[in-house]
Amino acid sequence: RATIGPVVGLLLTVLIGYKLFRSKRFKDWLATRRKKTTL
């Protein structure tokens, strides 16, 4: 029972990270970050 909390938290973090990674806004932000670093 004590391990359920951290496991659920980890799953939620992974799910949110996955959704964020798949979003167009995040990809656009990454593209702008890459352009700035190459200049």
Side-chain angles (χ1 to χ4, degrees):
R1 189 175 279 267
T3 57
I4 290 171
V7 168
V8 169
L10 185 70
L11 281 173
L12 279 173
T13 306
V14 168
L15 188 71
I16 291 167
Y18 175 75
K19 293 243 182 207
L20 217 144
F21 193 72
R22 297 267 302 175
S23 72
K24 191 179 188 305
R25 190 181 294 168
F26 182 71
K27 286 179 182 172
D28 290 345
W29 178 78
L30 268 183
T32 55
R33 296 283 295 179
R34 285 199 187 115
K35 285 177 188 167
K36 285 178 184 171
T37 53
T38 54
L39 288 173

